[in-house]
Amino acid sequence: MNKQVIEFGGEAVGVVVPDAGRLKFVAVKYHVWDLDSRHFRSADEARAAVRSLMASQRGRQPVSQSPAISGAYAVA
């Protein structure tokens, strides 16, 4: 088996490559970094893991900086 691109929402987020009889996920986007180097039995299993990870991240709010902190960095 050769490497396969794993996409989410039409965007390549990683690839799976053969490794020790399984498929190793190599993340190419930061938002799937938690899956990097994990092994899967199939590309479909890796895609399911990506979907699950992305679904769990939807509820998270991005970290925002307060204007006071941003201003302090701008002055420094």
Side-chain angles (χ1 to χ4, degrees):
M1 169 178 280
N2 293 326
K3 68 180 177 182
Q4 292 184 45
V5 175
I6 305 296
E7 294 184 353
F8 181 80
E11 175 183 30
V13 296
V15 294
V16 288
V17 294
D19 183 54
R22 300 193 74 189
L23 293 173
K24 180 178 177 179
F25 184 83
V26 179
V28 298
K29 295 292 183 180
Y30 182 74
H31 52 273
V32 294
W33 198 258
D34 290 346
L35 299 177
D36 192 57
S37 297
R38 280 195 41 197
H39 287 84
F40 298 96
R41 290 174 286 210
S42 68
D44 287 336
E45 185 179 43
R47 287 183 193 97
V50 168
R51 284 191 302 271
S52 177
L53 178 64
M54 297 306 291
S56 72
Q57 291 177 355
R58 282 190 198 125
R60 297 181 188 171
Q61 293 297 319
V63 176
S64 61
Q65 249 183 353
S66 73
I69 292 173
S70 297
Y73 286 114
V75 171

